[in-house]
């Protein structure tokens, strides 16, 4: 079976779909990833065929757009800015996704990917959705808001459908999110117990992890890790900082006061870049979490679903400084699971909070024990294999 797997968004949004495409290929299917060109190297490195969606990637433009979103204090206006930016990206990606899926037998698309949805309509091909969070499943508060705001979303999504030559539709956000064939949820039932209302409509498979080839670490990073106790990793992933220098100073001061060492992963926040750092703080850029998280005492991050899952998998305690969207609920979820203190909004981040949090990540035996327990249990799951089997069964019906 020829299966196109489409996704959009940040690294955390796309990596699980690379893992799924690889799992489908291992099972004997002709599976390939359709995504922005920036993910081509990651896909090919995982031995996954890749087709370019045509989305350009300009890091400076992304930072500028996201800083404008994060600088907006009104959540309503913030949402409008996000949707406007998303519409621009969707309009650019649409022709590439439609062309890349033309010869597919089945399209598996991210539940927020309108281009994959449109392609299935254009080609009259069956589709399956995948989601990395449970926020928008029935019975949740976010799902209620989505239903109330579905007509507003039509104004964002219908121009994308029109560009594909499709007629306008109503409540696209609701139709997009649910395939009549199969809907996969790449979340462990150990972390979010399934609700009765999800039965037969959404299948919780467990997380889709992308294991990469064995890493030959940077010599300086290896030396830093050997020179002292496990450090705290601080990263904000795809979230740019409104003031990178001030954020770096806050992290360095907090680590010093907490008596801990720290690794700063620059990411889109650019923390640590262009600054003189003490010997107790080390700056890195991209390092696979599957390698790095096993070697740190804890992680402070933005609450992205992929980062939460990666920390859960290796049993690393975490603390969430959320910025927008589902990050807040992810942070609350990690706290309820007993692997993180209560999350904090990024505007409220302070040296006092971060110092106490770093101390807790290194010294709280309860956090560490619970994190390790969950890591052991999650190791028994194989979300990708579960998803592949479900796709095969659904396609055979």
């Amino acid at each position: 079976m020829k299966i196109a797997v489409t996704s959009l968004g940040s690294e955390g949004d796309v990596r699980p779909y690379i893992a799924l495409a690889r799992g489908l290929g291992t099972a004997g299917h002709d599976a390939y990833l359709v995504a922005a060109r920036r993910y081509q190297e990651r896909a090919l490195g995982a031995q996954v065929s890749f087709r370019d969606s045509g989305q350009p990637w300009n890091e400076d433009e992304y930072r500028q757009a996201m800083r404008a979103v994060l600088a907006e204090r009104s959540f309503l206006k913030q949402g409008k800015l996000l949707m406007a930016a998303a519409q621009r990206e969707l309009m650019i990606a649409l022709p590439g996704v439609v062309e890349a899926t033309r010869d597919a037998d089945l399209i598996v698309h991210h539940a927020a990917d309108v281009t994959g949805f449109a392609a299935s309509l254009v080609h009259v091909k069956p589709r399956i959705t995948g989601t990395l969070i449970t926020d928008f499943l029935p019975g949740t508060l976010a799902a209620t808001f989505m239903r109330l705001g579905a007509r507003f979303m039509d104004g964002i999504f219908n121009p994308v459908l029109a560009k594909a030559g499709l007629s306008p539709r109503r409540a696209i956000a609701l139709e997009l999110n649910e395939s009549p064939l199969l809907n996969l949820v790449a979340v462990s039932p150990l972390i979010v117990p399934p609700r009765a209302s999800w039965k037969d409509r959404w299948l919780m498979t467990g997380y889709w992890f992308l294991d990469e080839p064995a890493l030959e670490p940077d010599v300086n990073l290896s030396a830093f890790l050997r020179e002292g106790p496990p450090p705290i990793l601080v990263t904000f992933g795809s979230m740019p900082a409104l003031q990178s220098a001030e954020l770096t100073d806050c992290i360095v001061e907090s680590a010093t006061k907490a008596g801990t060492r720290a690794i700063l992963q620059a990411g889109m926040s650019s923390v640590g870049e262009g600054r003189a750092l003490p010997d107790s703080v080390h700056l890195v850029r991209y390092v696979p979490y599957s390698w790095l998280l096993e070697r740190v005492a804890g992680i402070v991050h933005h609450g992205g679903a992929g980062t939460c899952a990666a920390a859960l998998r290796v049993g690393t305690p975490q603390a969430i400084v959320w910025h927008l969207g589902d990050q807040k609920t992810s942070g609350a979820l990690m706290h309820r699971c007993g692997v993180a203190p209560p999350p904090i909004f990024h505007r409220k981040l302070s040296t006092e909070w971060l110092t106490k949090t770093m101390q807790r990540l290194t010294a709280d035996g309860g956090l560490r024990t619970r994190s390790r327990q969950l890591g052991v249990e999650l190791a028994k799951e194989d979300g990708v294999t579960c998803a592949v089997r479900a796709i095969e069964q659904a396609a055979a019906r």
Side-chain angles (χ1 to χ4, degrees):
M1 185 163 48
K2 195 161 197 172
I3 305 174
V5 179
T6 80
S7 188
L8 44 70
S10 67
E11 178 94 13
D13 291 302
V14 178
R15 284 179 67 88
Y17 290 87
I18 299 176
L20 178 62
R22 184 168 66 180
L24 287 163
T26 301
H29 302 285
D30 182 2
Y32 57 94
L33 178 76
V34 183
R37 189 174 302 121
R38 68 183 294 236
Y39 300 111
Q40 180 173 3
E41 183 179 351
R42 194 81 70 240
L44 296 180
Q47 299 182 319
V48 170
S49 297
F50 179 85
R51 296 191 188 183
D52 186 1
S53 68
Q55 291 171 281
W57 176 257
N58 184 302
E59 199 165 288
D60 291 334
E61 289 179 1
Y62 171 84
R63 278 198 180 97
Q64 183 178 355
M66 286 304 299
R67 279 180 180 141
V69 171
L70 294 173
E72 179 54 65
R73 291 181 178 272
S74 164
F75 288 127
L76 179 60
K77 292 180 180 178
Q78 191 179 72
K80 288 181 177 179
L81 286 172
L82 271 175
M83 288 299 100
Q87 186 187 63
R88 288 194 297 272
E89 293 300 308
L90 290 166
M91 295 289 272
I92 293 170
L94 179 72
V97 174
V98 170
E99 180 58 33
T101 54
R102 189 176 301 278
D103 58 343
D105 300 312
L106 172 69
I107 297 173
V108 180
H109 67 82
H110 189 301
D113 184 3
V114 183
T115 65
F117 170 68
S120 74
L121 296 176
V122 169
H123 302 312
V124 195
K125 299 284 178 69
R127 69 184 182 94
I128 288 171
T129 74
T131 182
L132 309 178
I133 58 175
T134 59
D135 291 38
F136 297 103
L137 273 58
T140 63
L141 183 61
T144 301
F145 280 119
M146 185 171 72
R147 289 190 174 277
L148 293 173
R151 294 302 302 276
F152 165 76
M153 300 294 287
D154 287 347
I156 304 296
F157 294 150
N158 264 321
V160 181
L161 299 188
K163 187 172 182 177
L166 298 166
S167 300
R169 304 173 85 89
R170 296 183 65 179
I172 301 168
L174 304 182
E175 186 179 6
L176 164 69
N177 197 50
E178 183 176 357
S179 163
L181 187 60
L182 175 65
N183 302 281
L184 302 168
V185 184
V187 176
S188 170
L190 289 171
I191 305 303
V192 181
R195 301 189 183 197
S197 58
W198 302 348
K199 187 178 180 181
D200 300 327
R201 297 171 66 191
W202 282 270
L203 173 66
M204 298 188 73
T205 63
Y207 296 109
W208 303 342
F209 292 115
L210 179 64
D211 290 319
E212 296 181 83
L215 174 72
E216 288 295 333
D218 174 82
V219 173
N220 293 326
L221 173 58
S222 295
F224 178 78
L225 289 168
R226 287 196 305 267
E227 286 168 359
I232 297 293
L233 172 62
V234 182
T235 175
F236 299 110
S238 59
M239 296 292 102
L242 296 177
Q243 300 290 339
S244 295
E246 286 81 353
L247 179 58
T248 301
D249 289 343
C250 174
I251 296 168
V252 171
E253 183 180 353
S254 299
T256 301
K257 288 182 175 180
T260 65
R261 303 193 314 145
I263 292 177
L264 307 186
Q265 190 169 46
M268 288 296 164
S269 67
S270 302
V271 290
E273 293 184 341
R275 308 282 288 182
L277 300 174
D279 292 342
S280 59
V281 179
H282 186 76
L283 176 66
V284 299
R285 286 172 177 81
Y286 176 73
V287 180
Y289 284 149
S290 56
W291 186 90
L292 186 55
L293 284 175
E294 291 184 340
R295 294 163 172 81
V296 299
I299 176 174
V300 178
H301 64 97
H302 61 301
T307 309
C308 289
L312 285 168
R313 186 190 194 191
V314 298
T316 301
Q318 45 189 308
I320 285 82
V321 181
W322 68 275
H323 292 62
L324 49 78
D326 60 278
Q327 297 166 5
K328 181 180 182 180
T329 53
S330 292
L333 177 60
M334 295 301 100
H335 176 56
R336 288 199 301 272
C337 288
V339 300
I344 191 172
F345 185 44
H346 73 104
R347 289 184 181 277
K348 296 183 178 181
L349 179 64
S350 65
T351 301
E352 179 182 8
W353 181 89
L354 190 53
T355 299
K356 291 180 180 178
T357 298
M358 287 181 161
Q359 289 172 333
R360 184 172 179 186
L361 289 177
T362 57
D364 189 326
L367 279 182
R368 185 160 304 281
T369 298
R370 179 58 178 155
S371 298
R372 287 175 175 169
Q373 288 173 341
L374 275 177
V376 169
E377 292 301 310
L378 287 172
K380 300 173 184 177
E381 298 181 346
D382 187 346
V384 168
T385 296
C386 179
V388 169
R389 289 173 180 166
I391 290 170
E392 291 173 335
Q393 291 170 2
R397 289 201 290 266

